[in-house]
Amino acid sequence: MRFARFVSAATLGASLLTAAPAAGYDAAAGKQKAEEVCVACHGKDGISEQPVVPSIGGQWNDYIVLALYQFRAKHRPSEVMEPIAATLTDDDLGNLAAYYSSLKPWRPARQSSAAALAAGPELTQRRLCIQCHAPGLPGQQSVPRIAAQHIDYLTAQLEAFRAGTRGDIDGNMTSAVQGLSDADIGTLADYVSGLATP
Ligand code: HEC
Ligand code: HEC
């Protein structure tokens, strides 16, 4: 919550927040930068093979810009991403987002457990996850795709939102996870990581 007041769509600038892929940005230049810097961790085509590194290929343009902006502005603490984002210009942010958002979304790396498949749908309805992340949790615009994301990464982010330590543009995510138990977070991460949403 405490990060919310620092970042707003207005701060980001209307030029950076546009529909995917953003007109005026250069996906080819983004691809070149991605192959120089990002591929080592986020993998080929933005498909990460490391459980603590999120997949970003096919993520929403606006969300990628938002995330990079937050790392660069130190509104989203990350020892790994802050120094990398610090080297990126506004054009790099737009170009990288144009490139990654043009790719096909990643697929699940695992199957959800039977228990998570049974409890997950009700939990994501009752806690309104599907209202913002959309049914199947593919995300929309500045709300990220979370379907099929790595289970370890999802768990860590949900715990960080609950603890108030993850950057959050409007405080909505921080509110959305208040009162969830560790078991609820486990169920959500297990369920969401196995979703094969197109
Ligand atoms: C040394 C490994 C490493 C490199 C290189 C790297 N990243 Fe990351 N990236 C990470 C990790 C780890 C996270 C998760 C940070 C966290 O815990 O919030 C992350 C998070 C992100 C996110 C947020 C995704 C989400 O779902 O919220 C974006 C976007 C991103 N990186 C883009 C990039 C881009 C673009 C580059 C290249 C310019 C890059 N990263 C280079 C490791 C790396
Ligand atoms: C009111 C809208 C809203 C609701 C409800 C909501 N989310 Fe979110 N969620 C967001 C937004 C916006 C972000 C991006 C926040 C940011 O990075 O500033 C986000 C981010 C996330 C992330 C981080 C993804 C990443 O790539 O780092 C996860 C995981 C997540 N939400 C899961 C959930 C789950 C599970 C629920 C239900 C318990 C939920 N969300 C409910 C809007 C919402």
Side-chain angles (χ1 to χ4, degrees), residues 42-106:
H42 290 281
K44 187 177 172 327
D45 297 330
I47 302 170
S48 157
E49 288 175 7
Q50 303 179 55
V52 295
V53 179
S55 288
I56 56 173
Q59 185 56 277
W60 292 86
N61 181 81
D62 287 4
Y63 178 71
I64 295 172
V65 172
L66 169 67
L68 292 173
Y69 177 86
Q70 287 179 315
F71 290 127
R72 194 177 65 179
K74 302 191 191 298
H75 295 167
R76 176 173 167 184
S78 165
E79 279 176 23
V80 179
M81 277 308 297
E82 271 179 33
I84 292 168
T87 67
L88 303 175
T89 64
D90 282 358
D91 276 350
D92 289 334
L93 263 57
N95 295 343
L96 284 160
Y99 165 60
Y100 277 118
S101 65
S102 74
L103 302 174
K104 246 178 70 185
W106 64 88

Side-chain angles (χ1 to χ4, degrees), residues 54 59 63 66 70 76 123-124 127-133 142-146 149 153-154 157-158 161 166-170 172-173 176-177 180 188 192:
Q59 185 56 277
Y63 178 71
L66 169 67
Q70 287 179 315
R76 176 173 167 184
L123 197 51
T124 54
R127 300 297 302 215
L128 307 180
C129 319
I130 57 169
Q131 228 170 59
C132 296
H133 292 274
S142 58
V143 182
R145 164 177 286 272
I146 54 171
Q149 191 56 275
Y153 175 76
L154 289 171
Q157 298 304 312
L158 291 171
F161 280 120
R166 153 91 199 232
D168 185 354
I169 186 167
D170 51 14
N172 280 333
M173 252 322 287
V177 295
L180 287 178
L188 284 166
V192 173

Side-chain angles (χ1 to χ4, degrees), residues 1-8 167-172:
M1 270 304 202
R2 74 198 157 87
F3 297 101
R5 77 187 115 100
F6 296 115
V7 187
S8 70
D168 185 354
I169 186 167
D170 51 14
N172 280 333

